[in-house]
Amino acid sequence: MDPQNNNDTIDVHRIIGLIYSTAVDPEQWPDLLNALAGFVDSLNLQPDALEQNLNDSSSRLSDDASDPNATSLSSVLLSLPQLDQPDTSSLVTHPDTISSILLTHFRNALNVSQRLVAYEEQNEMVSSLLDRLPVAILVVDANCRIVQSNNLARKILQTGELLHTEDNRIVTRLEDTTALLQETVKHLSHSAPTELHDRMLMLEESHENSDSLMAYLSPIKGVSDYSLDHLQPDHSHVAILISRPKSQPFVLPQSFVDLYKLTRKESEIASLLIRGYNVLEISENQFISDHTVRSHIKALLNKTGLKRQSDLIRFVLSGPGEGMSKEPGLISNTFSRMGEGDEEVQTLQLADGRLLTFHEYGDPNGKPLIFLHSVRGCHIEIDTLIGNAASELGIRVIAPNRPGYGLSDPKKMETVLDYVDDIQALADALGLQHFSVAGYVLGGLFAKAIAHRLPERVERLLLISCGVRAETEEDYAGMIPLYKMSNKLARELPQVIRMLSMIMVRGMLRNPQRFLEQFATQLEPEEAKLFESAHFSTSIIKGLQHAAVQGSSHIGREVVLLNQPWGFDPAEIK
């Protein structure tokens, strides 16, 4: 690299700054990618030498084995030269030194990003847990401003019947009740989070018992989500559990119904019991005799192995526990339906206990076609591509989500051939002796693996926008910058691309419009016009959101699988 030639000079200081700023603010990933496009061209690391460095550094990493945040990325970065105070004045004349310095900063910045990701994932986990609880929950600050809420609480607030919000603060229909609620919250925010400070309030009450609202308030520790001007370090947040005993809906989890083989009527009666209805009230609600209600309750107790109604209520609310693992019918080839965003997906429980989710489009009695999505999408891509056409042509499209995508459980894969077992199990469960396979972009790689492993079952193989692995500089020269950078890093520094993909996806989801605009600039004009369609753009973002519902590390892993030995030769496909 000639230091006198500005075209060959890498702005090391700018890249280092972008590495750290993008780790904190993922929305800056397009700027980092543009800077890295030049960096990957300067990489001069041989995969064999890199693997040897990994082996040589394994002993130094033993002290980090207990760190839950430690990743394989550390083994690469720690194997490189460490410079505490690098002299960057001469970096442009030493490409290898540039790589070492930048990767050292990557290690530090990605450690920060990893902690932020862990924090965000923890918040998402808590939010998901709150949404599954059969009670409305709000978390507020000292001024009754909402910090967090679950689905049931949001529904109550949206109706505005008993509670609503003004300037994001909780208020009731009555001024006196609002004042009491806000005064109680402010008092509890100064209290230690113990049971001694818990309070119970009747926020709304009428002559109809079903139109009542009770609130259980308890102080909890929390971190303010507001600006520094609003930080109150000595204050606790307050959790408010809202209860409408008879008007708040409660539905038994489908897993509970399936486990104990409850009938529809038994499920409805169990839900009413949990909401506080007695036998006579259930009789009136269901238009059946009280004798029939008692018969159903007796059947419920017999199926669950319990003796009293109170035991049944406590059992349902606390969960079936160990009983789940004692039912042999749930081990393999079992289907259920579960919500995933705007639609339901079917699930197949595999022999190893993992869940595989999929959705079907087109003619349910048509010729079967298994569609494999791209690296940044999921099963819903088929809706945009050929969903309607499949119905007209008499084709039954089965679109599974690969491990880690959507609600499909993750799976460790050494090569793409490791995925074939999942598709074989899905085809067996659906009774498909013969089927065709279509692969979209990177999904085509997995489609080729299926066609290679199951030649006697795959009738046709369709590859959509599916290329081959880049091997030479000429191959890379034809790629858009995003693909060039991703594939080159995946081949030479796979641990880096895995973490970088996590940062990129976080940024894409935070600012989808910028992602679409950035991506469109790298395409041919005719392709870029597609992004002018609101439906097309929305479907891309929706697919990415579904793909990353469990995180985004699997996206980087698949790019790595593309750039490593596949375990088969596509030329052998019959």
Side-chain angles (χ1 to χ4, degrees):
M1 192 180 303
D2 183 0
Q4 302 302 320
N5 187 343
N6 290 333
N7 292 330
D8 293 334
T9 300
I10 297 177
D11 190 344
V12 179
H13 297 287
R14 180 169 179 268
I15 294 179
I16 292 174
L18 285 171
I19 288 173
Y20 285 103
S21 59
T22 306
V24 176
D25 181 10
E27 290 186 26
Q28 298 188 39
W29 67 268
D31 298 328
L32 176 59
L33 288 188
N34 289 334
L36 283 175
F39 169 54
V40 295
D41 287 336
S42 71
L43 282 174
N44 191 27
L45 299 177
Q46 299 300 320
D48 293 342
L50 183 61
E51 184 176 354
Q52 183 61 42
N53 283 338
L54 289 175
N55 296 332
D56 294 341
S57 64
S58 59
S59 59
R60 283 185 287 163
L61 296 173
S62 58
D63 293 338
D64 295 332
S66 60
D67 182 4
N69 290 323
T71 67
S72 57
L73 172 64
S74 303
S75 60
V76 173
L77 299 176
L78 289 177
S79 68
L80 296 169
Q82 302 296 301
L83 303 178
D84 295 333
Q85 294 181 337
D87 178 10
T88 59
S89 61
S90 62
L91 285 181
V92 292
T93 63
H94 301 288
D96 290 344
T97 306
I98 292 176
S99 300
S100 299
I101 296 300
L102 291 182
L103 290 173
T104 299
H105 286 289
F106 252 120
R107 178 190 59 186
N108 297 331
L110 291 178
N111 184 45
V112 172
S113 178
Q114 200 171 24
R115 292 177 183 273
L116 291 175
V117 169
Y119 175 75
E120 290 183 358
E121 289 180 346
Q122 184 179 28
N123 282 343
E124 292 173 358
M125 177 184 66
V126 172
S127 297
S128 177
L129 175 63
L130 292 179
D131 285 339
R132 293 175 182 271
L133 296 178
V135 62
I137 299 177
L138 292 161
V139 178
V140 299
D141 66 6
N143 296 312
C144 246
R145 286 190 293 249
I146 299 174
V147 175
Q148 197 164 23
S149 60
N150 67 352
N151 280 333
L152 285 177
R154 289 190 288 271
K155 289 179 180 178
I156 291 176
L157 293 173
Q158 287 171 0
T159 62
E161 297 175 359
L162 301 173
L163 275 181
H164 62 281
T165 59
E166 291 180 0
D167 297 328
N168 204 37
R169 299 181 67 189
I170 300 176
V171 296
T172 71
R173 289 186 299 189
L174 303 176
E175 291 185 5
D176 292 345
T177 308
T178 299
L180 175 61
L181 173 63
Q182 294 179 351
E183 180 182 347
T184 304
V185 167
K186 184 174 289 291
H187 171 73
L188 292 179
S189 69
H190 292 277
S191 306
T194 67
E195 294 180 0
L196 297 176
H197 296 118
D198 293 352
R199 295 287 186 274
M200 181 75 75
L201 298 178
M202 181 65 73
L203 300 182
E204 291 284 347
E205 185 175 14
S206 68
H207 298 296
E208 296 292 333
N209 190 38
S210 62
D211 187 25
S212 62
L213 188 70
M214 293 185 295
Y216 176 83
L217 294 84
S218 178
I220 59 173
K221 283 294 182 183
V223 179
S224 177
D225 291 332
Y226 303 101
S227 65
L228 292 176
D229 295 336
H230 295 92
L231 282 178
Q232 298 170 314
D234 296 331
H235 290 185
S236 297
H237 285 160
V238 177
I240 305 177
L241 281 67
I242 304 171
S243 175
R244 297 174 65 177
K246 293 187 178 180
S247 58
Q248 181 169 307
F250 176 82
V251 179
L252 285 178
Q254 187 62 42
S255 59
F256 189 92
V257 175
D258 293 340
L259 178 61
Y260 293 103
K261 298 179 173 59
L262 304 185
T263 65
R264 181 178 62 82
K265 186 61 68 176
E266 289 168 350
S267 300
E268 293 174 353
I269 291 176
S271 298
L272 292 172
L273 285 173
I274 292 169
R275 291 164 57 188
Y277 284 77
N278 59 36
V279 172
L280 293 178
E281 290 171 329
I282 294 175
S283 173
E284 295 177 359
N285 180 280
Q286 296 291 301
F287 301 102
I288 56 179
S289 68
D290 56 344
H291 175 75
T292 302
V293 173
R294 290 189 175 91
S295 296
H296 283 303
I297 293 176
K298 183 177 180 180
L300 279 167
L301 295 175
N302 288 335
K303 289 183 177 181
T304 55
L306 302 172
K307 296 182 179 180
R308 296 184 297 272
Q309 288 181 213
S310 59
D311 293 335
L312 175 64
I313 295 172
R314 182 171 61 252
F315 185 62
V316 171
L317 292 178
S318 62
E322 296 180 355
M324 289 291 290
S325 62
K326 297 178 181 179
E327 179 63 35
L330 294 181
I331 297 302
S332 63
N333 291 352
T334 59
F335 290 95
S336 63
R337 301 188 69 85
M338 60 200 306
E340 188 185 42
D342 300 330
E343 61 180 317
E344 288 184 332
V345 292
Q346 295 187 74
T347 66
L348 169 67
Q349 187 164 18
L350 301 168
D352 60 3
R354 290 182 300 113
L355 289 181
L356 182 156
T357 62
F358 65 99
H359 193 78
E360 295 195 37
Y361 300 91
D363 183 354
N365 299 314
K367 296 180 180 179
L369 169 69
I370 295 179
F371 172 84
L372 303 179
H373 57 76
S374 71
V375 72
R376 53 122 183 97
C378 63
H379 69 278
I380 64 175
E381 283 180 336
I382 198 68
D383 185 37
T384 303
L385 293 172
I386 61 171
N388 294 332
S391 297
E392 298 172 0
L393 297 173
I395 298 175
R396 176 189 181 187
V397 181
I398 301 111
N401 292 312
R402 289 194 295 277
Y405 286 83
L407 298 178
S408 288
D409 289 333
K411 176 183 182 180
K412 183 178 179 179
M413 292 188 285
E414 299 295 335
T415 71
V416 292
L417 287 174
D418 292 335
Y419 178 61
V420 179
D421 291 338
D422 286 8
I423 295 301
Q424 187 171 10
L426 176 61
D428 291 343
L430 294 174
L432 307 179
Q433 184 57 39
H434 301 285
F435 52 89
S436 296
V437 181
Y440 179 44
V441 196
L442 197 142
L445 172 60
F446 294 92
K448 285 185 280 190
I450 295 167
H452 179 272
R453 176 71 68 80
L454 305 175
E456 72 285 353
R457 301 185 69 172
V458 176
E459 295 181 336
R460 289 179 176 84
L461 172 63
L462 173 64
L463 303 178
I464 310 168
S465 299
C466 176
V468 296
R469 179 175 61 239
E471 300 286 357
T472 66
E473 288 302 320
E474 288 74 18
D475 295 335
Y476 285 113
M479 291 183 174
I480 63 175
L482 173 61
Y483 292 165
K484 178 180 180 180
M485 186 280 305
S486 300
N487 285 274
K488 206 161 190 178
L489 280 181
R491 185 187 70 176
E492 302 191 29
L493 295 171
Q495 294 84 352
V496 172
I497 191 61
R498 289 172 186 166
M499 280 301 296
L500 187 59
S501 67
M502 296 171 66
I503 296 177
M504 289 169 54
V505 173
R506 287 173 60 211
M508 293 172 185
L509 294 178
R510 284 189 178 184
N511 193 338
Q513 189 58 40
R514 187 181 184 191
F515 158 57
L516 294 174
E517 293 173 355
Q518 175 74 17
F519 191 66
T521 60
Q522 302 187 34
L523 301 176
E524 294 296 325
E526 289 301 317
E527 293 178 333
K529 287 183 180 179
L530 290 171
F531 289 85
E532 298 176 4
S533 165
H535 175 73
F536 184 83
S537 299
T538 300
S539 67
I540 289 180
I541 296 302
K542 184 179 178 182
L544 183 62
Q545 290 171 337
H546 282 267
V549 71
Q550 298 186 68
S552 54
S553 60
H554 53 278
I555 294 177
R557 291 193 187 100
E558 287 202 348
V559 178
V560 172
L561 285 176
L562 169 66
N563 287 276
Q564 292 182 343
W566 297 349
F568 70 97
D569 183 357
E572 298 175 355
I573 297 175
K574 305 300 182 184

